[in-house]
Amino acid sequence: RLLTSKRAPREEPVAPFPCVLLSFCRYYFPCQRWLAVEEDDGQIARELVPVDEAFVKKDSENDGQSPATLGLEQKAKSTTYMVKVKTGDKKNAGTDANVFITLYGSKDDTGIVSLKASKTNKNKFERGKVDEFTVESVDIGDLKKIKIGHDNKGNSTGWFLEWVEIDAPSLGQCLKFPCGRWLDKSEDDGAIERIIFPAKLQTVEYIPFVPYEITVYTSDIFGAGTDADVFIVLYGSDGICTRQKSLCLNKREQRMYFERNSVNQFIVELEDVGDIIEKIRIGHNGGGLNSGWHLDRVTIRRLLPNGK
């Protein structure tokens, strides 16, 4: 997913391979206000407009902070797949086995990926449930097929797989892979892994997302950090905007990032709002033990692959 760092020597992002990314305009969004119920005006989300680069740089030339960039540049070149897996609504359809998946594209494949951390259910692959996972890989091209299966370990291993749905925002595609069969040594044909092809009529095409480099600076004042779920929305011209996107994947990351006097950098795939960002909306959900947040500023770069 994304890699962040709070403190590192200042240096500009450099891709490990030359001419991999084109960096477009960097936008500066100063804030220097609280996003806290009990501070300032009590608001926990704010709309920020960009300012001239010189306004921010005069105060930041010697701050000695900048995130590590290698992992972020690698992230910007990777493709994120949102994988949904539906377990059938049949008796004993769920499994306790370890499930894995391999995505095959026109250029390459992802290799075997274990589906361990479901975003939707504490107990994965239960009867009638849909589990969501995030899979990252280098560009494998257009998705052609998947292989999914399990290791047959655990108390209840047999599994009835209804379907798999894979959304690839950077490709602008959401594909459905219907199965409707058992992966069970004592059911059906006894196979515990299957190769599945997408149903063309169920494929959804949309405008591909693009990666944005988002750098968030938390102020250096007492109590400035937050454990809340921080989100962002980008607005372009002609009323175009992105969906509201959380910058952290889970509560552990919420506790790690956005501490006092810290710099956190993210590569986030979002709808393309164009070459001009007119404003952003950034805020949090007010949750966590310490939710109040004093935001200093945000910088954003729109990144595109060569040739686009």
Side-chain angles (χ1 to χ4, degrees):
R1 132 114 167 81
L2 50 83
L3 300 173
T4 69
S5 172
K6 295 178 182 176
R7 295 176 178 86
R10 170 175 289 279
E11 59 181 38
E12 288 299 315
V14 178
F17 302 101
C19 301
V20 174
L21 293 175
L22 291 178
S23 173
F24 289 79
C25 293
R26 188 191 301 268
Y27 291 82
Y28 296 86
F29 298 87
C31 180
Q32 299 174 356
R33 294 186 66 182
W34 283 99
L35 286 78
V37 173
E38 298 178 354
E39 299 284 353
D40 204 329
D41 59 0
Q43 297 299 311
I44 60 174
R46 299 193 182 281
E47 291 188 352
L48 309 178
V49 295
V51 301
D52 187 82
E53 177 181 5
F55 179 87
V56 175
K57 282 208 163 184
K58 67 178 182 179
D59 294 323
S60 61
E61 287 293 341
N62 299 314
D63 63 10
Q65 298 185 85
S66 179
T69 58
L70 177 58
L72 290 162
E73 293 294 344
Q74 292 173 339
K75 163 67 180 175
K77 294 184 296 175
S78 69
T79 299
T80 301
Y81 300 94
M82 310 307 296
V83 179
K84 293 183 179 180
V85 181
K86 172 66 182 297
T87 299
D89 190 10
K90 292 177 175 288
K91 184 178 179 180
N92 299 322
T95 184
D96 296 327
N98 297 305
V99 175
F100 61 85
I101 192 170
T102 303
L103 280 55
Y104 296 88
S106 56
K107 300 178 182 178
D108 203 349
D109 64 75
T110 61
I112 297 174
V113 178
S114 295
L115 299 180
K116 290 186 175 293
S118 173
K119 293 184 176 182
T120 50
N121 301 296
K122 185 175 181 180
N123 296 318
K124 308 182 296 293
F125 310 118
E126 294 293 314
R127 174 178 175 177
K129 300 293 186 180
V130 176
D131 292 286
E132 297 183 19
F133 306 88
T134 299
V135 174
E136 283 187 5
S137 171
V138 296
D139 182 16
I140 63 172
D142 294 332
L143 276 173
K144 297 298 183 182
K145 63 181 180 181
I146 64 172
K147 179 166 69 175
I148 188 166
H150 61 79
D151 61 3
N152 204 45
K153 295 181 180 179
N155 295 324
S156 177
T157 59
W159 184 35
F160 190 89
L161 173 61
E162 193 71 50
W163 48 257
V164 177
E165 181 182 278
I166 299 179
D167 188 5
S170 64
L171 301 178
Q173 282 190 331
C174 184
L175 299 94
K176 197 71 162 283
F177 296 79
C179 181
R181 297 184 67 178
W182 286 96
L183 285 76
D184 188 340
K185 287 191 173 182
S186 61
E187 296 282 354
D188 205 326
D189 59 358
I192 59 172
E193 62 179 43
R194 298 193 182 281
I195 293 177
I196 313 174
F197 295 87
K200 292 184 178 180
L201 294 180
Q202 297 184 61
T203 297
V204 177
E205 303 275 352
Y206 57 91
I207 298 174
F209 285 20
V210 299
Y212 288 88
E213 176 194 88
I214 300 173
T215 307
V216 181
Y217 298 78
T218 298
S219 303
D220 186 14
I221 65 175
F222 180 76
T226 184
D227 294 329
D229 182 17
V230 174
F231 64 81
I232 194 167
V233 182
L234 277 54
Y235 295 83
S237 57
D238 300 323
I240 300 173
C241 68
T242 69
R243 67 186 67 183
Q244 180 172 301
K245 177 70 173 181
S246 293
L247 295 180
C248 294
L249 280 180
N250 50 52
K251 291 183 178 180
R252 181 187 65 83
E253 291 189 354
Q254 292 172 25
R255 293 191 296 267
M256 289 175 58
Y257 307 142
F258 311 116
E259 292 189 355
R260 172 181 176 176
N261 194 32
S262 66
V263 180
N264 299 117
Q265 194 170 54
F266 307 87
I267 299 294
V268 181
E269 290 177 346
L270 292 168
E271 295 91 339
D272 189 356
V273 298
D275 293 334
I276 298 175
I277 302 176
E278 293 194 344
K279 66 178 181 179
I280 65 172
R281 179 174 174 82
I282 187 166
H284 60 78
N285 67 348
L289 295 176
N290 301 292
S291 61
W293 183 35
H294 197 282
L295 172 63
D296 185 74
R297 64 190 187 274
V298 179
T299 66
I300 298 176
R301 283 197 308 159
R302 176 171 172 260
L303 306 174
L304 286 175
N306 246 354
K308 291 190 179 181

